[in-house]
Amino acid sequence: MDKKKKIIWSLISLLLAGLSIWAVSAQSKDMSPIKLWHSLSEANPKWIFAAILCMFGFIYFEGAAILCITKAIGYKRSQFGGLLYSASDVYFSAITPSASGGQPASAYFMMRDGIPGGVVTVALVVNLIMYTLAIIALGILAVFLDASVYSNFVFFPSKTLIIAGAAVLLGLLFVFVMLLKHGRAFFRIISRFLGFLHRHHLIHKLESKQKKLDKAVVDFENCVSVMSGKTKALIMAFILNVLQRASQILVSVMVYKAYYPGGQDAVRVFSTQSMVAIGSNCVPVPGAMGVADYLMLDGFEDILTKEQSIHLEMMSRGISFYICILICGLIMVLGYLFHREKDRSIAK
């Protein structure tokens, strides 16, 4: 994205974040972000620490999955590189109206690390397939653990959002698989689009851009061919994506245990949060702000009182989303500075 779009979506995201927090806290006379902070003294620090570790797991496991895929193709990169690819994806996905909005940012840092464009495309598409499968798998597990989890939500809009989210995930899965099987058709569309831009004098040096695209097509097809024989790598990428999604879901479980150590509904909290993960995918809102908050409140109110549900939602969301985004932003800045210093050293 260009700088103007980044600024616009950052401002929109800040506005949505403020409205989401206000809308949730306004439902309770006794709850506010300040009181929420003070309530940490009442929580079991071990479980809060576990929740923070789960939040870090959400960042780490995606990077590990991408590294697993690129290594199978023949491009081994550092652990910090994987962390940077993941952090940039999480950060920009949170400020753009698409769950895959962070993919271009990941691609940028991957190519800065010397990974060819075609390889990057295959790696990210394969990872998206595994990411989508992981959400679906955890949704199925949620129903298996608690068959009543879906019925605990109100029909509209919660159940409707969950059904729509499942449909969107299955649709995306179909698109990603078709992209891998018919990648050349996708690149032909890009080629025609470049021609259109050139004819209208919006881009120059069409021939050099076309050569780069042709090379990307060759790299893409070679990588697809390589990945088709890497069953173990694909299975590991799927497992790592399951761990990533489970890490985020488990934040709510850990926070629940921190405040209600004698509570017997940890499994129901896990299942509820899994349904939230599915339902929040169907609305093109940055970071699913507002949508995820509503679904969490609706689901948790079947387990806890309204006040307790608001408290659990705000604390869980604060760790799994807001603090996570701040950390990802910091990692991304450090990665950018590292690459800039590296470029200066090479220039000297």
Side-chain angles (χ1 to χ4, degrees), residues 61-95:
F61 286 120
E62 180 183 352
I66 294 174
L67 289 179
C68 176
I69 296 167
T70 55
K71 182 181 178 181
I73 298 173
Y75 292 86
K76 185 178 180 180
R77 292 299 181 265
S78 67
Q79 289 295 322
F80 177 74
L83 201 63
L84 182 56
Y85 308 153
S86 173
S88 56
D89 178 24
V90 173
Y91 181 83
F92 280 100
S93 291
I95 66 169

Side-chain angles (χ1 to χ4, degrees), residues 136-200:
I136 295 171
L138 287 170
I140 294 171
L141 176 63
V143 174
F144 177 78
L145 292 173
D146 184 355
S148 66
V149 61
Y150 177 72
S151 62
N152 293 337
F153 291 89
V154 298
F155 177 75
F156 186 84
S158 297
K159 287 182 178 178
T160 308
L161 287 171
I162 293 170
I163 293 172
V168 169
L169 287 171
L170 291 172
L172 287 173
L173 184 61
F174 174 79
V175 170
F176 296 147
V177 171
M178 287 299 102
L179 178 58
L180 288 179
K181 287 189 173 183
H182 305 286
R184 188 168 285 273
F186 170 75
F187 282 105
R188 277 201 298 268
I189 294 173
I190 296 178
S191 179
R192 290 174 183 174
F193 183 64
L194 288 175
F196 171 81
L197 294 177
H198 180 69
R199 287 194 299 274
H200 289 79

Side-chain angles (χ1 to χ4, degrees), residues 16 20-21 24 27 153 157-158 161-162 245 248 252 272-300 309-310 312-314 316-318 320-322:
L16 286 172
S20 297
I21 294 171
V24 173
Q27 296 186 47
F153 291 89
S158 297
L161 287 171
I162 293 170
R245 295 306 307 178
Q248 187 181 45
S252 296
T272 298
Q273 192 66 54
S274 298
M275 291 292 107
V276 172
I278 293 174
S280 59
N281 271 278
C282 68
V283 182
V285 177
M289 285 184 278
V291 180
D293 300 279
Y294 175 84
L295 288 171
M296 288 172 74
L297 286 176
D298 184 19
F300 291 156
S309 298
I310 292 170
L312 177 58
E313 191 280 334
M314 291 185 71
S316 301
R317 189 74 165 151
S320 66
F321 184 74
Y322 296 107

